[in-house]
């Protein structure tokens, strides 16, 4: 009987796809490209590194994957000679197997200032592990047992101005810790806010949304509430209003959030705004587990976290969305992609895939900020992810709402593919407006608070008052949240013509406190009339 129900649901979904096509054809723009039909694993977690390679992993207890480990390598308990991590080369569109030794399911991470990926926690054997991946040819994971003071499952990491990572929360962990450890100081710091936002038997506070504020404190959003934390003093310095309506936005009622682009960086005080989109109504998780799939939230909430009297401003998306990813684009817009319109995160309790991305234009007037994009044909449900690439595309992968690899006789099969979404700025019609960076070369080191000259060419006429330079911190993305994602608009102090369609824009790099831009590798873009160049890698010192 259950099998018949699944097959009927599958047929109903196919009919929904067919009936939706005429409506979806009216979308504004963007296009899709299938990059790999299968990489052998599902892209539950993704991180772009400074060598234009993406580290991808799912979990070690899914069973055997479709990607064999090389050289006869195997995990021994249980024996598994297949990979659950992969390195994807953006430049060559190829991938190779990586060997992760312990379970990385629902883990977290960030890239250190030197470019190493530090990944923390996971499930069972992996809960207190620290794993390191160095971006070099042929490299693989190394693991440190008991590298964490507490088990971290569904936690959030963020790079701090000091270059260390803070690791916040996780299931039944109402505290935070740092990596690397410092001798002679406590290993764990209590954070009662996490227990206060924990809904019994549901949680709704996992993978909290964490952003480094411009004053050096941390903005932390969990469930429907948020605080500003002085993590060094272990003190809450501000409590923000509850989000209007009070509906949860964190896992498993999974919405997403971004710190909007930071601008006017030379001003005495820099404003910071956070945008939270999607989620599920109160009780939706319980309802979904009982077979009733409630429509997701169709609202976004925006707050200026640096305001003396901050208030949420509500906005309505074109459609409801849960488990969506929010990706900062090089021109300062926000891409909302992936997810479903009913149910919640969790095993097989999401319904109605949202195939259309939406672009949010934060500088437009309220009520005219959302722009519908052309749809994918691949549902990206629970355990999907999306990240920005250096060429301006967005890499999209994942989707596995099952506790194993399941490919047949289910509503939403395990998805092993990778595809790219091309935002409208990559359309050929904008080729005459698109800048091409001439200098500095990629991997240039930039000192804080210094003048920087960026040379670029443009084939068509240049609108000098519509040129800017942006830097973007690539994110560690999983479960609809992009950790450590950050975009700074360096502006354009002067733009000079050098002849032969070549120009030089002068900007100032962020100041040296690390509050605006912690040290590390960023993607630098020249943006002309909202059309970004291909990025180059720079190292902010």
């Amino acid at each position: 009987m259950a099998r018949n129900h699944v097959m009927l649901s599958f047929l109903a979904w196919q009919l929904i796809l067919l009936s939706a096509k005429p409506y979806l054809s009216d979308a504004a723009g963007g296009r899709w490209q299938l990059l790999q039909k299968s990489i052998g694993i599902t892209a539950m977690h993704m991180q772009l590194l400074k060598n234009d390679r993406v580290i991808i992993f799912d979990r070690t207890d899914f069973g055997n994957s479709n990607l064999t480990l090389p050289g006869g390598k195997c995990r021994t308990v249980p024996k598994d000679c297949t990979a659950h991590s992969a390195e994807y080369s953006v430049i060559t569109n190829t991938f190779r197997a990586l060997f992760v030794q312990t379970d990385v399911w629902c883990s977290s991470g960030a890239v250190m200032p030197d470019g190493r990926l530090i990944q923390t926690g996971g499930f069972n054997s992996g809960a207190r592990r620290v794993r390191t991946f160095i971006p070099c040819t042929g490299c693989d994971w190394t693991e440190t047992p008991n590298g964490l003071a507490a088990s971290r499952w569904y936690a959030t990491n963020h790079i701090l101005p000091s270059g260390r990572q803070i690791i916040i929360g996780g299931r039944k962990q109402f505290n935070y810790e740092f990596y690397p450890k410092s001798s002679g100081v406590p290993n764990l710091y209590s954070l009662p806010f996490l227990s206060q936002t924990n809904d019994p038997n549901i949680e709704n506070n996992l993978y909290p949304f964490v952003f480094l504020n411009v004053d050096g404190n941390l903005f932390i959003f969990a469930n429907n509430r948020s605080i500003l934390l002085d993590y060094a003093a272990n003190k809450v310095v501000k409590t923000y209003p509850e989000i209007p309506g009070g509906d949860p936005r964190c896992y498993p009622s999974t919405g997403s959030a971004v710190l909007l682009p930071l601008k006017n960086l030379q001003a005495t005080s820099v404003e910071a705004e956070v945008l939270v989109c999607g989620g599920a109504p109160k009780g939706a998780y319980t309802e979904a587990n009982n077979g009733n799939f409630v429509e997701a939230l169709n609202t976004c909430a925006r707050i200026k976290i640096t305001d003396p009297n901050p208030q949420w401003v509500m906005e309505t998306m074109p459609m409801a969305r849960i488990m969506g990813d929010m990706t900062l684009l090089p021109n300062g817009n926000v891409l909302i992609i992936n997810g479903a319109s009913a149910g919640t995160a969790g095993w097989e309790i999401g319904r109605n895939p949202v195939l259309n991305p939406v672009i949010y234009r934060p500088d437009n007037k309220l009520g005219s900020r959302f722009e519908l994009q052309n749809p994918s044909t691949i549902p990206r449900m629970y355990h999907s992810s999306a990240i920005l690439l250096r060429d301006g595309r967005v890499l999209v992968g994942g989707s596995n709402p099952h506790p194993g690899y399941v490919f047949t006789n289910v509503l939403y099969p395990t998805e092993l593919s990778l595809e790219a979404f091309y935002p409208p700025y990559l359309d050929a019609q904008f080729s005459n407006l698109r800048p091409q960076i001439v200098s500095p070369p990629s991997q240039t080191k930039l000192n804080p608070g210094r003048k920087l000259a960026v040379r670029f060419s443009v084939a068509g006429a240049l609108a000098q008052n519509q040129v800017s330079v942006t830097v973007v911190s690539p994110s560690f993305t999983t479960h609809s949240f992009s950790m450590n994602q950050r975009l700074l608009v360096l502006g354009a102090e002067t733009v000079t013509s050098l002849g032969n369609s070549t120009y030089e824009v002068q900007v100032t790099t962020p100041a040296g406190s690390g509050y605006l831009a912690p040290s590390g590798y960023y993607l630098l873009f020249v943006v002309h009339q909202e059309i970004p160049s291909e990025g180059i890698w720079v190292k902010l010192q």
Side-chain angles (χ1 to χ4, degrees), residues 7 89 118 189 269 387 452 487 504 520-521 528:
M7 291 306 297
S89 170
I118 300 296
Y189 298 80
S269 59
I387 58 170
L452 171 67
L487 186 151
E504 184 174 276
Y521 285 89
H528 175 228

Side-chain angles (χ1 to χ4, degrees), residues 208-221:
F209 306 146
V210 179
F211 302 106
L212 177 66
N213 194 16
V214 296
D215 63 359
N217 295 312
L218 289 176
F219 175 87
I220 303 176
F221 181 101

Side-chain angles (χ1 to χ4, degrees), residues 221-361:
F221 181 101
N223 198 322
N224 53 19
R225 283 164 275 172
S226 47
I227 58 170
L228 194 63
L229 176 71
D230 179 343
Y231 56 86
N234 191 24
K235 179 182 179 181
V236 175
V237 295
K238 181 180 286 189
T239 299
Y240 294 89
E242 181 179 294
I243 202 165
D247 288 315
R249 307 279 178 156
C250 293
Y251 183 92
S253 299
T254 305
S256 189
V258 292
L259 176 70
L260 291 174
L262 299 176
K263 303 178 180 180
N264 303 315
L265 304 184
Q266 309 308 313
T268 305
S269 59
V270 177
E271 293 183 346
E273 288 187 274
V274 167
L275 180 71
V276 179
C277 291
K282 291 178 182 177
Y285 178 74
T286 302
E287 289 291 321
N289 277 290
N290 290 328
N292 180 26
F293 305 103
V294 178
E295 184 178 57
L297 301 178
N298 68 348
T299 55
C300 293
R302 180 168 166 173
I303 190 169
K304 193 172 293 183
I305 64 174
T306 48
D307 235 27
N309 182 31
Q311 299 295 324
W312 292 98
V313 176
M314 303 302 292
E315 305 183 50
T316 302
M317 296 188 289
M319 70 276 286
R321 193 182 302 254
I322 190 164
M323 299 180 290
D325 285 280
M326 295 176 69
T327 304
L328 291 170
L329 300 177
N331 60 7
N333 293 333
V334 182
L335 180 70
I336 307 173
I337 195 168
N338 296 339
S341 65
T344 68
W347 298 133
E348 303 176 4
I349 53 174
R351 291 294 185 274
N352 305 338
V354 180
L355 301 177
N356 293 73
V358 169
I359 286 179
Y360 177 87
R361 300 180 178 274

Side-chain angles (χ1 to χ4, degrees), residues 17-342:
L17 272 180
L18 292 172
S19 64
K21 284 183 178 178
Y23 167 73
L24 297 177
S25 66
D26 295 331
R31 58 190 174 91
W32 292 83
Q33 178 189 16
L34 181 66
L35 299 174
Q36 291 286 347
K37 187 174 181 180
S38 172
I39 61 168
I41 65 171
T42 189
M44 187 189 300
H45 314 73
M46 292 202 292
Q47 170 75 60
L48 175 68
L49 299 180
K50 64 175 184 175
N51 57 359
D52 289 316
R53 299 188 179 201
V54 179
I55 303 305
I56 301 170
F57 49 96
D58 50 22
R59 56 182 286 197
T60 58
D61 56 352
F62 264 163
N64 290 350
S65 75
N66 286 0
L67 181 62
T68 302
L69 286 166
K73 292 180 180 178
C74 299
R75 291 180 68 249
T76 55
V77 182
K79 186 173 183 180
D80 182 356
C81 301
T82 64
H84 296 279
S85 179
E87 179 188 67
Y88 172 74
S89 170
V90 177
I91 295 172
T92 63
N93 189 29
T94 57
F95 59 94
R96 68 182 181 97
L98 299 176
F99 184 33
V100 63
Q101 301 160 36
T102 54
D103 201 348
V104 288
W105 178 29
C106 301
S107 56
S108 51
V111 173
M112 300 296 278
D114 62 4
R116 291 175 300 143
L117 171 59
I118 300 296
Q119 184 274 327
T120 55
F123 185 57
N124 282 345
S125 64
R128 291 184 59 195
R129 291 272 174 150
V130 173
R131 305 170 189 84
T132 303
F133 190 92
I134 299 172
C136 56
T137 302
C139 287
D140 211 331
W141 289 102
T142 59
E143 301 200 12
T144 303
N146 299 319
L148 298 175
S151 298
R152 300 292 173 188
W153 194 30
Y154 299 91
T156 297
N157 295 26
H158 204 296
I159 287 289
L160 300 173
S162 65
R164 291 203 296 167
Q165 289 189 36
I166 188 170
I167 307 157
I168 300 174
R171 180 157 285 167
K172 299 180 181 179
Q173 296 295 340
F174 309 126
N175 51 57
Y176 62 91
E177 62 182 286
F178 300 94
Y179 182 86
K181 302 297 180 192
S182 297
S183 60
V185 298
N187 287 326
L188 278 180
Y189 298 80
S190 177
L191 187 55
F193 170 72
L194 293 178
S195 60
Q196 294 160 10
T197 53
N198 180 53
D199 289 343
N201 302 316
I202 300 173
E203 295 168 308
N204 280 333
N205 67 342
L206 299 180
Y207 281 124
F209 306 146
V210 179
F211 302 106
L212 177 66
N213 194 16
V214 296
D215 63 359
N217 295 312
L218 289 176
F219 175 87
I220 303 176
F221 181 101
N223 198 322
N224 53 19
R225 283 164 275 172
S226 47
I227 58 170
L228 194 63
L229 176 71
D230 179 343
Y231 56 86
N234 191 24
K235 179 182 179 181
V236 175
V237 295
K238 181 180 286 189
T239 299
Y240 294 89
E242 181 179 294
I243 202 165
D247 288 315
R249 307 279 178 156
C250 293
Y251 183 92
S253 299
T254 305
S256 189
V258 292
L259 176 70
L260 291 174
L262 299 176
K263 303 178 180 180
N264 303 315
L265 304 184
Q266 309 308 313
T268 305
S269 59
V270 177
E271 293 183 346
E273 288 187 274
V274 167
L275 180 71
V276 179
C277 291
K282 291 178 182 177
Y285 178 74
T286 302
E287 289 291 321
N289 277 290
N290 290 328
N292 180 26
F293 305 103
V294 178
E295 184 178 57
L297 301 178
N298 68 348
T299 55
C300 293
R302 180 168 166 173
I303 190 169
K304 193 172 293 183
I305 64 174
T306 48
D307 235 27
N309 182 31
Q311 299 295 324
W312 292 98
V313 176
M314 303 302 292
E315 305 183 50
T316 302
M317 296 188 289
M319 70 276 286
R321 193 182 302 254
I322 190 164
M323 299 180 290
D325 285 280
M326 295 176 69
T327 304
L328 291 170
L329 300 177
N331 60 7
N333 293 333
V334 182
L335 180 70
I336 307 173
I337 195 168
N338 296 339
S341 65

Side-chain angles (χ1 to χ4, degrees), residues 342-474:
T344 68
W347 298 133
E348 303 176 4
I349 53 174
R351 291 294 185 274
N352 305 338
V354 180
L355 301 177
N356 293 73
V358 169
I359 286 179
Y360 177 87
R361 300 180 178 274
D363 294 335
N364 280 13
K365 291 182 179 180
L366 185 66
S368 60
R369 292 174 177 161
F370 295 97
E371 185 179 274
L372 199 64
Q373 301 297 293
N374 283 315
S376 172
T377 59
I378 302 174
R380 300 289 182 183
M381 305 290 283
Y382 185 41
H383 290 148
S384 300
S385 57
I387 58 170
L388 177 69
L389 301 178
R390 184 170 59 85
D391 57 18
R393 294 178 300 164
V394 175
L395 183 67
V396 178
S399 188
N400 189 15
H402 317 290
Y405 298 107
V406 183
F407 303 103
T408 58
N409 299 326
V410 290
L411 196 54
Y412 309 114
T414 302
E415 188 55 63
L416 307 181
S417 67
L418 288 181
E419 57 185 337
F421 176 71
Y422 289 68
Y425 55 62
L426 291 174
D427 290 353
Q429 62 179 312
F430 300 122
S431 58
N432 279 349
L433 300 177
R434 185 167 296 114
Q436 182 175 343
I437 296 176
V438 177
S439 67
S442 193
Q443 306 290 336
T444 292
K445 294 180 180 179
L446 304 179
N447 291 316
R450 302 288 182 87
K451 299 295 183 185
L452 171 67
V454 181
R455 291 190 178 185
F456 64 97
S457 61
V458 171
L462 184 80
Q464 292 195 13
N465 63 342
Q466 296 187 57
V467 174
S468 64
V469 175
T470 63
V471 291
V472 183
S473 174

